[in-house]
Amino acid sequence: MLSKPPSSAQFIFSDRYRKHSYGANHPLGIPRVSLTYDLIQAFNAITDSEVINSRQASIDELIAFHTPEYLQAMQKSEDQNKITDSYRKKHNIGNFENPYFPGFFTTPATATGGSIQAAEAVLKGNIGFSPAGGMHHSMPDRANGFCFLNDPVMAINHLLNAGLSVLYVDIDAHHGDGVEFAYRHNPEVSTFSLHMDTGYAYPFKGGEIECTGEYSNAINLPLPKKTNDSEYEWAFSKVWEKILSHVEFDAVVLQAGTDILNPDPLGKFQISTQQFLKTVETIKSSIPSSENAVSRLAVLGGGGYHPLSLSRCWLGVWAILSNRQLPEQLPQAAIELLRNIDWDMDEDEDYYPKFFQTRLDDAYRNGIRDEIKIRVEHLLKIHPRLNG
Ligand code: ZN
């Protein structure tokens, strides 16, 4: 058997993520990044030199996208431990969607610093993984869809400042609207988002096939409910092939939200972990590399509201990025870690023993509906950049 090359991946983490933010009743009030990190440790799949302690993004960095008024409102709210009515109205903060919590500014700013560090890793010839990032809905002067600070934009800016053109790929279940908005006037960045059609899913507008951007730099593929593995794989590969032959880019920033996974309580797709990981593997193996032959890839987190399926999926992502083969059987320490998570939707516990089998599960492969073929063919036909 050929041995895999040594790891050149960096996992960006902070103990700050062990504190529950957002509050118990919020979809994000669950262990995510810390559980992923602990699960990786339970698999003994990381060394100390692969972990980077996340730093906080500076105001100078954040101001490249966010308004000074919004950043000041966030900082002041944290300092005063409350949100005023005027901030609430003006910046869409302190409500159920984007709630106040201790560390309200510092925690998102740390996640954003981590995503910049993932881009820094790329510039050093490594792959960076910032699972606390991927907050793709955030807008310049307001929080949006659980997202306070737009860390994908900061990571992309860091690569742009180094002279690299960037392809942003967003496989989260929701349209990457904030990132698309940030680069609508910048031909150095192309965006590719596959998502639940906004006709039935958040953010309820935009992300249509026809939204191709000022420089034809936005590629959007909205998909129907119950999109399954065979449909996703077919649709992704059709568009991906065209992107590789028609779009120029030096590096990829991948938003890897896991709410496309079948058990996710907010997502409406039926995608298996194996298909998710196959998509990540395809991206990693087909994009430009640094001089040391390591893919120029920064991976960020994103949505994902089922802590068990999220942490197992991001463990799998980490294994791909760091060239590790995971055992098919979960170590006892990992099973105990997952069982200790207080999660009353633990419907797939029996699935643990076969979770990392590489075989795709037939249950998720139900043929390709005409509706999906029509969407993909329409995109390839009308998109100015992919056409021809
Ligand atoms: Zn999402």
Side-chain angles (χ1 to χ4, degrees):
M1 195 177 108
L2 287 172
S3 63
K4 288 190 162 194
S7 171
S8 309
Q10 311 271 212
F11 187 99
I12 296 122
F13 183 67
S14 166
D15 274 325
R16 171 168 283 277
Y17 308 131
R18 295 194 182 285
K19 294 180 198 152
H20 280 219
S21 45
Y22 285 87
N25 295 324
H26 193 278
L28 284 180
I30 53 171
R32 303 169 83 246
V33 177
S34 59
L35 180 59
T36 302
Y37 181 74
D38 292 344
L39 190 59
I40 291 170
Q41 294 284 1
F43 270 79
N44 201 16
I46 197 161
T47 61
D48 289 349
S49 63
E50 289 174 305
V51 183
I52 295 181
N53 194 34
S54 187
R55 71 166 172 86
Q56 199 178 324
S58 69
I59 294 295
D60 280 351
E61 288 165 329
L62 296 171
I63 223 152
F65 179 64
H66 293 290
T67 64
E69 294 76 23
Y70 176 52
L71 296 173
Q72 199 181 40
M74 287 205 65
Q75 276 180 309
K76 263 198 174 169
S77 301
E78 177 166 317
D79 291 347
Q80 296 172 357
N81 211 21
K82 64 166 193 196
I83 291 183
T84 63
D85 279 347
S86 72
Y87 285 166
R88 185 174 289 117
K89 277 189 204 131
K90 196 171 170 203
H91 302 297
N92 195 26
I93 52 179
N95 47 26
F96 176 78
E97 179 187 344
N98 309 303
Y100 178 78
F101 54 87
F104 168 79
F105 174 74
T106 307
T107 299
T110 303
T112 305
S115 295
I116 297 170
Q117 286 169 297
E120 286 168 356
V122 172
L123 297 178
K124 289 177 188 160
N126 296 318
I127 289 176
F129 185 23
S130 169
M135 300 291 123
H136 58 169
H137 297 308
S138 167
M139 289 294 177
D141 65 346
R142 69 194 153 89
N144 209 21
F146 315 161
C147 302
F148 294 98
L149 298 174
N150 202 316
D151 62 283
V153 168
M154 304 305 150
I156 294 168
N157 283 350
H158 199 76
L159 297 169
L160 288 177
N161 291 341
L164 301 180
S165 59
V166 178
L167 172 67
Y168 171 75
V169 183
D170 191 319
I171 59 172
D172 188 281
H174 300 95
H175 175 230
D177 54 350
V179 183
E180 183 181 295
F181 174 85
Y183 297 106
R184 68 203 184 287
H185 303 311
N186 188 342
E188 291 298 305
V189 178
S190 302
T191 59
F192 173 32
S193 177
L194 300 101
H195 44 259
M196 298 190 287
D197 196 312
T198 58
Y200 69 85
Y202 187 87
F204 301 110
K205 61 173 191 239
E208 288 105 1
I209 289 173
E210 293 77 12
C211 300
T212 59
E214 186 178 338
Y215 292 95
S216 310
N217 54 342
I219 300 162
N220 283 306
L221 183 56
L223 291 165
K225 289 179 188 176
K226 297 189 175 176
T227 293
N228 66 37
D229 277 1
S230 19
E231 291 171 332
Y232 194 88
E233 183 173 27
W234 182 84
F236 179 87
S237 57
K238 281 275 177 195
V239 183
W240 187 243
E241 262 173 41
K242 282 279 182 188
I243 287 175
L244 291 179
S245 58
H246 288 66
V247 178
E248 281 183 30
F249 58 93
D250 302 312
V252 168
V253 172
L254 170 64
Q255 199 272 21
T258 66
D259 40 8
I260 61 171
L261 296 176
N262 188 46
D264 192 275
L266 299 192
K268 305 276 187 235
F269 287 174
Q270 294 178 340
I271 306 297
S272 70
T273 303
Q274 292 92 333
Q275 182 59 49
F276 188 107
L277 297 178
K278 208 174 167 193
T279 307
V280 173
E281 179 88 62
T282 300
I283 293 169
K284 182 194 167 203
S285 63
S286 55
I287 63 170
S289 307
S290 299
E291 284 165 17
N292 59 355
V294 174
S295 306
R296 284 207 203 96
L297 176 62
V299 180
L300 316 178
Y305 306 95
H306 186 301
L308 307 179
S309 67
L310 171 138
S311 57
R312 283 173 288 176
C313 185
W314 283 351
L315 161 67
V317 170
W318 170 248
I320 290 170
L321 303 183
S322 66
N323 297 316
R324 282 180 169 86
Q325 194 81 50
L326 293 174
E328 287 195 2
Q329 298 290 325
L330 268 78
Q332 196 54 35
I335 293 174
E336 275 162 28
L337 176 73
L338 295 172
R339 283 202 175 128
N340 283 334
I341 299 301
D342 182 17
W343 180 252
D344 55 10
M345 295 174 71
D346 193 5
E347 69 279 2
D348 54 355
E349 181 156 335
D350 292 344
Y351 203 47
Y352 291 170
K354 58 176 184 177
F355 205 78
F356 288 110
Q357 285 177 357
T358 50
R359 178 180 68 78
L360 295 176
D361 194 322
D362 291 340
Y364 291 83
R365 304 186 72 77
N366 298 323
I368 301 162
R369 282 170 287 171
D370 286 346
E371 187 185 353
I372 298 210
K373 289 183 185 163
I374 289 165
R375 284 170 190 244
V376 171
E377 280 157 15
H378 180 56
L379 171 64
L380 297 183
K381 192 172 166 197
I382 65 116
H383 200 288
R385 190 78 77 88
L386 304 179
N387 207 330

